[in-house]
Amino acid sequence: MQSAVRLPTPPPLESTHDTNLSRKRPRSSSSTSPNRRASPYQLHLRGSRVLREVDFNRNVEHGPHFNQDPRPHEKNSTASKPLSQVEKDASARAEYESLLNKSRSGPTYMPPAKLRALQAAITDKQSPAYQRLYWDNLKKSINGLVNKANVSNLRFVSLEMFQENMVRGRGLFCRSISKSAAASLPFIPIYAALVAIINTKLPQVGELLLRRLILQFKKAYKRNDKAVCIWTTVFIAHLINFQVGHELLGAQILLLLLNRPTDDSVEIAVGLTRALGQHLEEMNQQIATAIFDQFRSILQNNDISTRVQYSVEVLMQVRKDKYKDDKAVPEELDLVPEEDMITHRIGLDEDPMETMDSLNVFKLDDHFEEHEAAYRKLKSEILGEADSDGEELESDSASNSEEEDEEAKQDIQDRTNTDLVNLRRMIYLTIVSSGTYEECVHKLMKVNLPPGQEKELVSMIIECCSQSRTYEKFYGLIGERFAKLNRLWMDLFTSAFPETYETIHRRETNQLRNVARFFGHMISSGAIGFEVLSVIHLNEEETTSSSRIFIKILWQSLAEDLGMKDLQTRLQDEALRPYFEGLFPKDNPRNTRFSINYFTSIGMGGLTEELREYLKNAPKPAAVMPPPEPVIVKVIFEITFTITLSSNTASPILSKQISNTSSSGLRQRQRADTTKARQSWS
């Protein structure tokens, strides 16, 4: 009986091979025949042998890297001799030149690590290979710095740019920054600021860029290339704003565009004027007036489309608004002092324009090392560096460590009160943004107050309360909660009352009302004690109209919260009586009457009953006798009376008697006064 399991079928090649081996043929049958077909296995063996030979031949053709025999047992291994420095340098140059010349479209990409290794291997700085490597690195560095420039890092990018050889790479810089400006118009002010910084130290860079931009604009204007005209004119305008170019250049371009107005030329002129208008208004008002007169004539003639007319009208409105959205130099880009700016007076009609296009390509420098040494010296003058790199690193590290030690020793004091202003702003925003007083207290407790600044929190709560239109109990509850949380806050609010009362005359009536009700709530709720009232002296000399209003609203708030009965009980408390002596004075009846009249006028006369009884039972002062009339006054009166009588028409005998009587009386009094004086002196 046969098994039900089916055995696997062998592959065709193996089966053919086995049958051929097992079959024995006669010798005559194995003779070669031209018409005889080869078996599949023989074709397979022949094909593999042919493929191996073809692969070996290809490896030989590829070069020394692939020139290896796949049959190692047939190759005799030989020891390689070490290469000298000259041979290593020659092989590195040969490899670099082969990589450069291998592709027609450009040099082959080389990993940075391999590029650095090749550059380190080439020690001859006069060789084309080394200078070409240096040129490629310079181009990559300049492109990278231009591409990463923005508002925040412009200062640092300019310093890094001076680290590169800008004299050798000024052509690369101009080409790179022109491509970046054409690709991104919003970044043109940043690129112009970067050029202005470099122009202060290397004026040939700014001049070269300005000449190239003018030439590009002239070519684009002849070819009617609107896109190139737009970015070149805007770039030139911003260079003029940074005073790299002169404003006459912008005026020449505008007059050229508006001489024969078309839609495209007027649109380009509008963009140029928006970028350059504020600078023209400040530097040369006549040119700006002439340009806008030309725009008005174009609008009146209706030689352009409606869309362009609308853009011109928008430009007129921008001028009326004083270019508030189109500043010539933004504040964050104003990095160059006006005395360091260098302006190039290049006109649009200057011909031929020297653009030095040969600076864009690599050229072998026979005096490479001399030029590099000259730029290192120039760089040290610009950046204030040391001559050698080793000395730079050592001096920088030493100076940095010394500066850090000095900074650690110095106690920096902020006299601008910036931190205090920020703290007050944060407290104010926290109070305003809170929904309930509990939430506000919870948020304020999380504020990280510097040591000694806890008083600012109390003053800000009082200030916020005073600034509200009407009194809000919200602030009183905040103060109450803080005062009851910690003794520190209670003492701070207690000390804030005398300070507020002393400066109460500086506040308006509405602020007086809010502050008085705030402290009335604090006293009635027990957050602060009645001892704060001891600073008030209610009399005519020590109060003002503002302080009287404050006292009135304060006591009305206390009576509203506590009630008159409870308030009278507090006034009769022996422990609190010393704090009310200034409010209910008994030192002088005049001050007592003033206090009684004041509390009666504000509707709280019931609080002065005890004071009325005191004034009623107080002993009356004794009558004061007038001082005796001085003797000299009597004498003068008698003399005057005598003269008056003598001048009348009375009889001479009567006047003589009166004069004798007065003179004898005068002599007696004089003798008596003289005797008294002698006795007093003895």
Side-chain angles (χ1 to χ4, degrees), residues 148-155 186-187 189-190 330-333 335:
K148 77 175 185 179
N150 54 44
V151 177
S152 59
N153 65 354
L154 185 60
R155 189 187 301 272
F187 279 81
I190 299 174
E331 294 182 2
E332 58 272 11
L333 297 179
L335 303 176

Side-chain angles (χ1 to χ4, degrees), residues 540-591:
E540 191 173 359
E541 290 79 11
E542 298 184 41
T543 56
T544 61
S545 58
S546 300
S547 62
R548 292 166 195 162
I549 295 172
F550 176 78
I551 297 170
K552 169 190 171 183
I553 299 171
L554 176 65
W555 279 92
Q556 288 178 349
S557 177
L558 290 174
E560 181 182 350
D561 294 339
L562 297 176
M564 288 295 294
K565 186 177 180 180
D566 191 6
L567 191 57
Q568 287 181 350
T569 305
R570 300 290 182 91
L571 291 177
Q572 295 173 1
D573 189 356
E574 295 296 333
L576 299 179
R577 277 183 180 275
Y579 306 135
F580 301 131
E581 291 179 355
L583 285 165
F584 304 97
K586 297 180 181 179
D587 55 347
N588 192 346
R590 183 182 179 185
N591 296 339

